Amino acid sequence: MELQRKRIRIRKYETTGYLKEALRYLQPPEDLSVSEWAEKYRVLDTKTSAMPGPWRNDKTPYLKDVMDELLNYETEEIIFCKCTQVGGTEAMQNMLGYIIQQDPSPTMVVYPTDKLAESISENRIQPMITASKPLKKLYYKNESSKLELQFEGMYLTLAGSNSPSSLASKAIKYLLLDEVDKYPGASRKEADPISLARERTKTFRNRKIYITSTPTLKSGHIWKALESADIEKRYFVPCPHCGEYIELKFKQIHWPDDETLSYADRADMAVYVCQECGCAITDQHKDQMLRYGEWRTVRSDTKSSKRVAFWINTLYSPFVRFSEIAKEFLDSKDDPEKLQNFVNSWLAEPWEDTKLKTNADMVMERQTDVPPMVVPNWAHFITGGVDIQETSLYWSIRAWGPYITSQNIAHGQALSFQEIERIMNLPYLKENGDQLVVSLCLIDSGYDADSTYDFCASNLDWAMPVKGSSNPMLSHFKISKINRPESRAHGMTLVLTDGDKYKDMIAARMKKENGKGSWMVYDGCDMDYAEQVTAEHKVNMKSGSRVIQRWVQKQTHNDNHYLDAEVYAMAAADILGVRTLHLEEKKAEEKTAAQGQYTPEEDWIHGNENWM
């Protein structure tokens, strides 16, 4: 009791200001997660929010794990691929508030443009700071500018992705990248903005990078980041009827098919049908489902978990009804531009052109009754293509006939150029017993040019080096020369190809039924080959201010080596004149028919026009 009195007496003494300040600095930060901090200190203002007041995690429970991932010591990069209207920007604001109060460190937020950064600073970030008492105390307003806010123990830089100089001048621990799919690409003078900004975090071992955006194209920054993440998570919610955890998918929203009803009337009757039990789920169930939902890993590529990706669509938004989603789709489905916006902004999926899209099943349907290593009777010649990789060489041999009819007769992997030489010089039997050898083989020189050039120089009678053009060409292929005075191949022919044009031809002919003009494969073709030759599809891509169409891989980690080999085999056939085979065949038929109308003497005269 006596000791307690002394303690009480001590606490009554006045403490000097400098001691108070020292004790305040020594006081450890509160033990809070980002979501707990937001619920305790974040206040939504009337200027920027439709629901002003204290932040409540139970309104958007799917944001909790996204925000709290910032404190996971194993995670270095957080990727949030999202639709609109799910609170993604507010989650980033909560992270900012937590950093300022709990872990003051140099921080940068990058927006698509400088003007947008200024607008967000003035209309969203500064109001958030002044609405929260702890943040307001730490904010040095008089020392701050629109694009650089000063706080006790740290500064916050706001930058536009269109200003490379602002991305390359400061050391940063926390890097937050917003709407990255609206960033410009790399230029001749500078790397892309994301790469430039990443460079600023190198000096911090415990750096954190947060990337968020609505996707646009498969080649966009956010989708590429999602595909390259170590872990991909999606939000699963319990069905109110069967209790099974399900992922909300757009195809499960059903509405009446009655064409006599307007789109609005049909959409008003839209419900979500559980994929497990088939029961109807309405908007009144959504809040409870979201509250008990959980993030589950749907893909894990490595043991490491440095890069964690979260993906979510509008179906989870508590602010959007199922009927609104159905109505938006019905209004957009007949307009490509509106449909792209629906796919991007509502479904959080990348837009792709489906006019030229192939799949492995389509290849398997192109099987003929001709076994492997056998050339069909209709073939006039065979060509080869070789794609060189670090560990092996992928090769393909294809037979060609009139009307660009073709069939793969063999393909595989080789470990050396010597093996390629043996394969390409084998005699291949036709169905009638005649023999054919590879007339021309194009070999990729993009990986190891010197080795390819030397090999082709030693096999000039059947091999040529080939290189794909990075830019679209007017023609499918172009003949050039190797300009390397020190090489044996100096002055030798080099073939340049426009791979996209040949891939267009392959995709179009693959869709034809087996027969004249079709692209076929032998009986018993393997699935690995089928998947590789269909590993790409054609999508819209931005090139400066224009939108162009290019062939890109469907998944970044999928192999496409047999597709490249087939492109080279088709280019070889093009060089040999496959496009005019039908004309030569027709000319030969006409000559044969004409020969039957003359006497032997007249036939001799027509066949020896220079006899005089």
Side-chain angles (χ1 to χ4, degrees):
M1 288 294 291
E2 186 64 27
L3 185 60
Q4 267 190 330
R5 289 194 195 97
K6 285 182 179 179
R7 284 177 178 170
I8 293 169
R9 198 176 299 122
I10 289 169
R11 286 174 184 166
K12 286 182 180 179
Y13 289 131
E14 288 286 333
T15 306
T16 60
Y18 72 89
L19 280 176
K20 282 184 178 179
E21 191 68 12
L23 290 171
R24 187 172 72 83
Y25 271 102
L26 292 172
Q27 183 182 5
E30 292 181 79
D31 186 13
L32 296 172
S33 66
V34 178
S35 60
E36 289 170 342
W37 178 91
E39 198 152 57
K40 187 172 183 180
Y41 295 112
R42 177 75 193 280
V43 178
L44 300 172
D45 60 277
T46 55
K47 186 177 181 180
T48 60
S49 176
M51 301 175 65
W55 175 272
R56 291 291 175 259
N57 286 322
D58 57 3
K59 193 62 182 173
T60 52
Y62 47 79
L63 293 178
K64 285 180 63 177
D65 283 17
V66 179
M67 294 187 289
D68 293 343
E69 194 67 34
L70 190 74
L71 305 187
N72 188 338
Y73 71 95
E74 291 184 344
T75 303
E76 185 177 293
E77 192 168 308
I78 305 161
I79 299 144
F80 190 26
C81 181
K82 62 178 184 64
C83 59
T84 55
Q85 301 297 319
V86 288
T89 302
E90 296 301 334
M92 191 176 77
Q93 303 276 77
N94 291 340
M95 291 180 185
L96 273 178
Y98 177 90
I99 293 166
I100 294 166
Q101 185 175 333
Q102 299 290 105
D103 185 22
S105 307
T107 302
M108 175 183 281
V109 187
V110 182
Y111 296 99
T113 64
D114 285 330
K115 286 187 177 181
L116 182 61
E118 289 182 6
S119 175
I120 290 177
S121 172
E122 192 171 1
N123 296 305
R124 302 200 73 164
I125 295 179
Q126 292 183 51
M128 176 195 76
I129 293 165
T130 54
S132 172
K133 288 183 179 179
L135 297 183
K136 189 175 182 179
K137 288 180 181 178
L138 300 172
Y139 179 40
Y140 297 158
K141 186 175 182 180
N142 294 334
E143 299 174 22
S144 302
S145 62
K146 283 185 181 180
L147 294 181
E148 190 164 291
L149 308 181
Q150 299 292 336
F151 299 90
E152 188 176 285
M154 67 167 284
Y155 61 84
L156 170 62
T157 298
L158 308 177
S161 63
N162 60 336
S163 177
S165 59
S166 63
L167 303 177
S169 56
K170 299 178 177 70
I172 297 297
K173 178 182 177 181
Y174 289 101
L175 175 62
L176 310 179
L177 305 165
D178 193 25
E179 289 301 334
V180 293
D181 268 27
K182 295 178 181 177
Y183 291 7
S187 67
R188 292 183 180 180
K189 295 182 180 179
E190 299 281 357
D192 71 272
I194 296 177
S195 300
L196 285 173
R198 282 181 197 273
E199 291 294 314
R200 302 302 95 213
T201 66
K202 278 186 175 179
T203 54
F204 288 89
R205 283 196 167 189
N206 56 345
R207 61 182 173 268
K208 297 287 182 180
I209 301 172
Y210 175 72
I211 303 175
T212 183
S213 183
T214 299
T216 52
L217 305 174
K218 282 234 176 187
S219 57
H221 294 299
I222 194 66
W223 200 258
K224 286 167 72 175
L226 179 79
E227 289 186 329
S228 61
D230 300 323
I231 294 175
E232 181 181 343
K233 295 184 177 183
R234 299 197 176 190
Y235 203 65
F236 286 73
V237 293
C239 170
H241 304 290
C242 65
E244 290 291 327
Y245 273 75
I246 57 174
E247 181 187 347
L248 298 184
K249 298 180 178 181
F250 172 67
K251 65 180 182 181
Q252 296 302 122
I253 296 182
H254 292 190
W255 55 82
D257 292 330
D258 190 351
E259 298 288 343
T260 61
L261 297 174
S262 67
Y263 284 165
D265 290 338
R266 292 166 67 187
D268 282 341
M269 291 180 270
V271 294
Y272 187 93
V273 178
C274 173
Q275 49 262 55
E276 294 293 334
C277 65
C279 294
I281 300 172
T282 62
D283 293 304
Q284 65 184 6
H285 299 120
K286 190 184 286 189
D287 284 346
Q288 184 180 5
M289 291 167 66
L290 292 176
R291 194 174 302 118
Y292 294 103
E294 58 186 41
W295 287 98
R296 293 184 176 180
T297 300
V298 297
R299 176 178 59 81
S300 181
D301 291 340
T302 63
K303 292 181 180 179
S304 169
S305 57
K306 285 188 174 181
R307 306 183 63 185
V308 180
F310 298 87
W311 179 91
I312 199 167
N313 61 32
T314 303
L315 276 71
Y316 293 93
S317 174
F319 314 112
V320 181
R321 301 188 302 275
F322 293 137
S323 58
E324 291 180 77
I325 300 171
K327 177 68 162 56
E328 182 67 21
F329 170 75
L330 291 170
D331 288 340
S332 306
K333 64 184 180 68
D334 298 321
D335 185 328
E337 289 187 9
K338 288 184 177 179
L339 185 59
Q340 179 172 355
N341 178 68
F342 176 78
V343 171
N344 292 158
S345 302
W346 293 65
L347 302 186
E349 295 175 358
W351 174 255
E352 56 182 310
D353 180 9
T354 56
K355 291 178 182 177
L356 283 174
K357 191 174 181 179
T358 57
N359 57 62
D361 291 338
M362 193 182 294
V363 175
M364 302 308 281
E365 291 172 3
R366 297 284 77 81
Q367 294 181 77
T368 66
D369 55 3
V370 179
M373 309 294 286
V374 177
V375 181
N377 282 332
W378 47 259
H380 285 221
F381 57 81
I382 56 178
T383 64
V386 180
D387 181 52
I388 299 178
Q389 296 298 309
E390 183 178 1
T391 56
S392 63
L393 295 80
Y394 288 80
W395 58 271
S396 180
I397 297 177
R398 183 162 284 270
W400 299 92
Y403 302 97
I404 321 183
T405 307
S406 70
Q407 180 180 311
N408 180 261
I409 63 169
H411 56 260
Q413 284 179 266
L415 298 178
S416 65
F417 277 116
Q418 289 72 27
E419 194 175 346
I420 290 294
E421 185 175 8
R422 182 185 64 81
I423 291 166
M424 295 299 165
N425 284 283
L426 285 174
Y428 294 92
L429 292 177
K430 295 181 75 170
E431 292 174 284
N432 59 12
D434 293 343
Q435 286 188 353
L436 285 179
V437 294
V438 171
S439 300
L440 178 61
C441 176
L442 297 188
I443 303 176
D444 171 34
S445 63
Y447 176 73
D448 185 358
D450 291 333
S451 298
T452 301
Y453 291 163
D454 287 345
F455 178 75
C456 291
S458 301
N459 296 273
L460 283 172
D461 55 328
W462 60 271
M464 282 187 189
V466 64
K467 184 176 289 185
S469 173
S470 57
N471 297 315
M473 295 165 48
L474 293 176
S475 57
H476 285 64
F477 71 91
K478 185 168 68 174
I479 301 298
S480 182
K481 295 288 182 183
I482 296 172
N483 185 20
R484 292 197 179 186
E486 73 284 357
S487 173
R488 290 175 56 206
H490 177 64
M492 194 172 71
T493 299
L494 172 66
V495 181
L496 302 177
T497 63
D498 188 330
D500 279 15
K501 285 185 171 65
Y502 283 116
K503 288 168 188 175
D504 286 348
M505 289 179 66
I506 291 172
R509 292 176 180 277
M510 195 184 291
K511 292 183 178 181
K512 292 185 176 182
E513 294 294 328
N514 285 4
K516 185 170 70 174
S518 183
W519 185 96
M520 298 171 282
V521 296
Y522 60 76
D523 184 30
C525 179
D526 58 284
M527 183 56 75
D528 180 50
Y529 169 84
E531 289 176 346
Q532 286 204 34
V533 295
T534 57
E536 296 186 11
H537 59 174
K538 200 171 190 181
V539 301
N540 292 329
M541 294 183 69
K542 283 186 177 179
S543 176
S545 59
R546 298 183 304 118
V547 175
I548 61 174
Q549 292 188 330
R550 298 298 299 267
W551 282 90
V552 297
Q553 288 173 259
K554 296 175 184 176
Q555 300 287 335
T556 52
H557 58 276
N558 284 1
D559 290 336
N560 62 344
H561 313 310
Y562 282 130
L563 175 59
D564 290 337
E566 288 292 355
V567 166
Y568 302 147
M570 180 173 272
D574 218 354
I575 292 170
L576 296 176
V578 69
R579 297 173 189 261
T580 59
L581 274 182
H582 66 287
L583 299 176
E584 294 175 10
E585 194 174 67
K586 185 178 179 181
K587 186 177 180 181
E589 290 174 356
E590 290 175 351
K591 185 176 181 180
T592 302
Q595 283 177 345
Q597 300 173 9
Y598 299 111
T599 64
E601 292 79 5
E602 289 173 328
D603 285 338
W604 184 89
I605 292 172
H606 284 287
N608 298 271
E609 295 176 354
N610 297 323
W611 64 276
M612 293 186 68

